[in-house]
Amino acid sequence: MTRIESKQNPALRHLARLMREKKYRQRTGEMACEGGKLLEEALLSGVQVKTVLLCTGAPLDTRAASAVQRAAEQGARLLQAEPPLFHTVSTLETPQSLLFSCLPVARGTLPDRLGSALLLDGVQDPGNLGTILRTADAFGLEAVVLCEGCADETAPKVVRATMGASFRQPVYHMPLAGAIAAMRARQLPVYAAALEPESVPVGAVPLTHTAVIVGNEGHGVTQQALEGCDGKLIIPMAGRAESLNAGVAASILIWEMTKGGKA
């Protein structure tokens, strides 16, 4: 295990940039995560862990310690830093005992055959995106497509919110117009979740074998989505709330899309 003693250490600076800079993550092809639970999930999902940084004096529970050992056995570099240096890398107010870098799973191109897909149109909140990916993974949704204006799925806040699902859930990047065209080419009707006069309640149409667009937290789906979709949906609510959180709304829609079983 290598002990880091300087803030200028290249490995420390690399990890700090992975934690904070989207363009740096894109350029290097790596992402950074924090916590023993995520390290365990990454290893279980077959993700290649590159580096593990431990905080000197911070205890590891049995599962985290085991995950660190497995990462080392698989070739990960182990580093250690005193709390003041470790805290310069962490993005948490109360840092955990370890953080690590890894290679995200390569997604490739959208499969030629899809049973269902969720298109995200400007979902910007990291917590919402993380919730959506976690729910999609839980219910076996085949694809989540991030269109223009979405949060970065490799950002630490998003990865934390997924609770490990980001290492498994298929995520693709396409412009909205291209994503809608790709769904139609795969014989999937496209619906937009929107508060429009002509919107029909979820449940009035079967959502298995469909694609559904969920929009921005503040503004909903874009005009492009409204004009390009085959129909519009609302989630009926008995209470007085005007709308649902984007992550909650998407989770309800994912349930409707997958409850009939995978294609």
Side-chain angles (χ1 to χ4, degrees), residues 205-251:
V205 293
L207 291 185
T208 53
H209 306 292
T210 65
V212 178
I213 307 171
V214 171
N216 175 269
E217 291 83 357
H219 307 292
V221 296
T222 57
Q223 189 63 32
Q224 182 182 23
L226 294 175
E227 293 174 357
C229 68
D230 299 305
K232 304 174 184 67
L233 303 169
I234 57 169
I235 298 172
M237 296 183 292
R240 290 179 290 180
E242 183 178 291
S243 62
L244 292 171
N245 169 286
V248 172
S251 296

Side-chain angles (χ1 to χ4, degrees), residues 58-213:
L60 294 175
D61 61 33
T62 302
R63 292 175 65 176
S66 176
V68 171
Q69 182 177 351
R70 292 202 307 276
E73 290 170 353
Q74 293 176 18
R77 182 185 182 191
L78 298 188
L79 307 174
Q80 189 175 57
E82 294 291 330
L85 289 177
F86 185 91
H87 294 178
T88 65
V89 180
S90 174
T91 58
L92 296 177
E93 187 174 333
T94 304
Q96 299 195 36
S97 303
L98 67 87
L99 53 85
F100 63 97
S101 68
C102 62
L103 299 179
V105 176
R107 302 303 183 194
T109 57
L110 200 66
D112 291 334
R113 296 187 63 185
L114 276 179
S116 55
L118 189 71
L119 313 184
L120 301 185
D121 183 18
V123 174
Q124 297 178 335
D125 182 81
N128 280 335
L129 180 54
T131 296
I132 291 167
L133 296 180
R134 183 179 180 183
T135 306
D137 176 57
F139 291 108
L141 186 70
E142 291 174 86
V144 175
V145 181
L146 304 188
C147 303
E148 297 91 333
C150 286
D152 173 21
E153 80 275 16
T154 66
K157 285 184 179 180
V158 176
V159 177
R160 283 199 303 274
T162 71
M163 295 296 289
S166 59
F167 303 126
R168 299 181 293 271
Q169 176 59 38
V171 175
Y172 305 92
H173 292 260
M174 298 179 72
L176 181 61
I180 292 173
M183 297 303 116
R184 292 219 175 93
R186 289 160 176 77
Q187 309 301 313
L188 296 182
V190 180
Y191 292 92
L195 295 171
E196 294 291 318
E198 65 272 28
S199 296
V200 298
V202 170
V205 293
L207 291 185
T208 53
H209 306 292
T210 65
V212 178
I213 307 171

